[in-house]
Amino acid sequence: ELDVCFPISRLLDESGEFTGEVVVSDEGVFRFFAAPGSWTVRIIAGGGVTKDVQVEAKLGEVAQLEVAV
């Protein structure tokens, strides 16, 4: 179990394998540069709260997510 004091976001590939992790900014912003395809973004907040969101990455497009935890 991960105990974090700041939210982080993880990028998981189609099989659920970890591929990247970044800290979520104070404004709630994070960014991954991912190849086209199906991905899962996992938000991990304080107290062990997690939220998974599915996203489809498309070439030349920005995917914006709104996640409440």
Side-chain angles (χ1 to χ4, degrees):
E1 181 175 314
L2 188 63
D3 184 27
V4 296
C5 57
F6 49 84
I8 59 173
S9 57
R10 286 188 177 163
L11 187 64
L12 309 175
D13 68 14
E14 284 185 278
S15 69
E17 289 295 316
F18 171 86
T19 59
E21 180 175 282
V22 295
V23 175
V24 177
S25 75
D26 290 340
E27 295 81 27
V29 176
F30 61 90
R31 181 174 291 175
F32 289 108
F33 294 92
S38 298
W39 298 89
T40 299
V41 173
R42 176 170 293 155
I43 304 298
I44 304 170
V49 175
T50 63
K51 178 79 173 201
D52 286 0
V53 179
Q54 305 296 349
V55 63
E56 186 72 25
K58 297 178 182 173
L59 185 62
E61 294 183 21
V62 175
Q64 294 189 17
L65 306 175
E66 202 167 303
V67 182
V69 290

